[in-house]
């Protein structure tokens, strides 16, 4: 379910970062909004999430604490 995937994606965060799904990253305006908020270039990665049949593409965003 969507809620299950969202919880699994959240669990991929290392702390001090934001991890979002490929679907969210593809939504209109998302990249620009993160750029305006001071995020570094997002890092694309693939994760095997428990309870999800196939690997999921995720995006990890880091923010500079002193822009």
């Amino acid at each position: 379910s969507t809620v299950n995937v969202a919880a699994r994606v959240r669990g991929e965060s290392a702390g001090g970062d934001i991890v979002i799904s490929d679907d969210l990253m593809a939504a209109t305006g998302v990249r620009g909004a993160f750029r305006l908020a001071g995020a570094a270039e997002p890092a694309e990665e693939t994760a095997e999430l428990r309870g999800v049949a196939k690997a999921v593409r995720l995006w990890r965003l880091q923010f500079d604490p002193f822009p």
Side-chain angles (χ1 to χ4, degrees), residues 1-47:
S1 76
T2 301
V3 173
N4 189 37
V5 171
R8 302 290 185 244
V9 169
R10 185 183 73 196
E12 292 295 309
S13 174
D17 62 351
I18 295 175
V19 178
I20 63 173
S21 69
D22 195 45
D23 288 340
L24 181 57
M25 183 58 96
T28 303
V30 170
R31 278 187 184 266
F34 279 118
R35 204 172 300 122
L36 284 173
E41 188 63 28
E44 180 181 349
E45 54 190 68
T46 303

